[in-house]
Amino acid sequence: MPNMGMGNMQNMMRQAQKLQKQMEAAQKELNASTFEGVSAQNLVKVTFTGERKMTDISIDPAAIDPDDPDTLADLVLEAVNDGLGKIDTTTQQKMGRYTKGFGM
């Protein structure tokens, strides 16, 4: 390994601190975002924060059949998984550039 001068080391530290600040800002932006998940025919809609907390659920009355609770459960699962998938995709897009090369 070549001998690094103090200037190079300080420069690397500054770059690392700058990267850390950018990552924190991107994470804050993600956490403050809202993500909507929907089921088939938009019968169930859920809203999540970027921190994966559900903040709202909306169920169309057409989805409520007392004789068929399984269908409603499936619609809720579909909407929740859709919302969580959107969070994952957006997180990868925003944070992926910072984690490349770090084995994360």
Side-chain angles (χ1 to χ4, degrees):
M1 187 167 149
N3 187 8
M4 283 190 148
M6 282 304 285
N8 280 348
M9 195 63 170
Q10 287 174 336
N11 198 24
M12 280 180 61
M13 291 299 288
R14 270 198 295 275
Q15 288 291 349
Q17 288 170 342
K18 183 179 170 189
L19 189 63
Q20 180 70 30
K21 280 189 172 61
Q22 290 173 341
M23 283 177 67
E24 287 171 6
Q27 189 64 55
K28 276 185 188 160
E29 186 183 320
L30 262 174
N31 292 350
S33 299
T34 56
F35 297 86
E36 187 174 85
V38 293
S39 70
Q41 292 97 46
N42 292 329
L43 291 173
V44 176
K45 295 179 185 174
V46 294
T47 305
F48 285 96
T49 67
E51 296 175 288
R52 305 172 83 82
K53 289 189 175 75
M54 191 187 304
T55 57
D56 191 34
I57 183 168
S58 166
I59 300 173
D60 187 306
I64 303 170
D65 179 350
D67 298 326
D68 187 12
D70 290 344
T71 296
L72 178 56
D74 288 344
L75 291 169
V76 171
L77 288 173
E78 188 179 348
V80 168
N81 287 329
D82 182 51
L84 292 174
K86 288 175 181 173
I87 294 170
D88 289 342
T89 300
T90 304
T91 299
Q92 280 296 94
Q93 289 168 346
K94 285 191 180 288
M95 302 304 287
R97 65 176 167 232
Y98 300 115
T99 57
K100 280 188 183 103
F102 286 108
M104 292 180 157

